[in-house]
Amino acid sequence: MEEFGRLFSEFRSSATRIETLDVYSVPEERDNLDLYRSGAPLPPDRNEEWARNIRECVAAGKYMGRVHIIDHVLTPYLQFEIDWYYAVNGAAGEDIRFIYRDDVPDLFYTDTWLFDDEIVVDLSYNRSGELLYINRNDDPKRREQARTAWREFYVRSFPLADLLAKVRGAELDVPRSPLDLRTAWAKEHACASKATRT
């Protein structure tokens, strides 16, 4: 894990991510999620440490970007992720993009970080979005798969600004109040828990 963390400061030219899930279950996020679901104002300094790293990388001429697979109904978790993280990261210079699930190319992909178009780090999750393991994969075949996936995902994706315009234009179904978010979140996790038990 420590080696993985160093990659974010030691990469030379690019750090790119493909995100595949509607929900990620991260223990360190729970307090932030609770605050978000309460409808309280968002802390202006949220995610500042990561945003500072982005600013430093971008100022040094490096590229940081991600493409997140989404459906036409935006889940409560994704709404949280956009408001809590992506809005801050995008302002710091990360190129945050989205691709609809029905536009995903027919090729091999997984949750992946790709550093400098050379270092492949795959992330494995269970059905509830809990991280199972992180695996650096140096197989040349896997490297080419990751490069191809990033390239094809990128050309089919659209930026955060376009996603926000789709939300405003009601092209995406998004819960509109903290109560709606709490209700949808509870249903979502009830279904996830049931799926995990079977």
Side-chain angles (χ1 to χ4, degrees):
M1 192 65 108
E2 184 179 337
E3 179 189 357
F4 179 48
R6 285 200 305 270
L7 290 170
F8 292 98
S9 57
E10 295 176 355
F11 74 92
R12 299 182 311 277
S13 60
S14 64
T16 59
R17 172 79 194 269
I18 291 176
E19 291 181 297
T20 67
L21 303 179
D22 289 331
V23 176
Y24 290 92
S25 180
V26 183
E28 295 80 8
E29 285 184 343
R30 286 177 186 152
D31 289 345
N32 296 341
L33 277 165
D34 289 343
L35 179 66
Y36 183 78
R37 291 193 310 241
S38 77
L42 300 181
D45 61 347
R46 65 193 185 280
N47 210 34
E48 177 53 33
E49 184 177 349
W50 180 249
R52 187 182 310 114
N53 182 61
I54 294 170
R55 287 193 293 270
E56 290 171 358
C57 290
V58 171
K62 302 177 183 180
Y63 172 83
M64 296 185 75
R66 71 182 67 220
V67 176
H68 198 142
I69 300 173
I70 61 171
D71 294 302
H72 291 272
V73 177
L74 203 60
T75 66
Y77 177 83
L78 283 170
Q79 180 69 16
F80 159 74
E81 194 171 41
I82 290 163
D83 288 341
W84 196 279
Y85 299 112
Y86 290 169
V88 175
N89 298 354
E94 184 177 352
D95 182 17
I96 298 167
R97 307 179 69 85
F98 302 87
I99 183 172
Y100 286 124
R101 199 168 300 278
D102 46 11
D103 292 332
V104 168
D106 183 18
L107 47 75
F108 179 82
Y109 66 89
T110 185
D111 264 78
T112 304
W113 276 101
L114 177 62
F115 297 93
D116 298 324
D117 221 26
E118 290 291 334
I119 300 172
V120 179
V121 180
D122 292 320
L123 297 90
S124 180
Y125 297 88
N126 66 17
R127 291 210 247 168
S128 298
E130 296 168 324
L131 181 65
L132 299 176
Y133 60 85
I134 298 171
N135 178 52
R136 176 169 172 169
N137 193 327
D138 295 322
D139 183 344
K141 180 180 177 182
R142 177 68 193 105
R143 186 182 307 126
E144 191 55 39
Q145 287 174 336
R147 288 172 176 169
T148 300
W150 171 255
R151 184 171 59 247
E152 295 300 320
F153 270 63
Y154 186 89
V155 299
R156 291 168 169 79
S157 66
F158 54 90
L160 176 61
D162 286 7
L163 179 132
L164 297 177
K166 291 174 188 294
V167 169
R168 287 193 298 271
E171 294 176 49
L172 279 168
D173 185 14
V174 181
R176 297 295 180 184
S177 74
L179 179 59
D180 290 337
L181 284 171
R182 284 193 295 269
T183 302
W185 180 267
K187 285 173 64 178
E188 185 175 287
H189 274 268
C191 291
S193 298
K194 183 178 180 183
T196 304
R197 289 192 300 269
T198 57

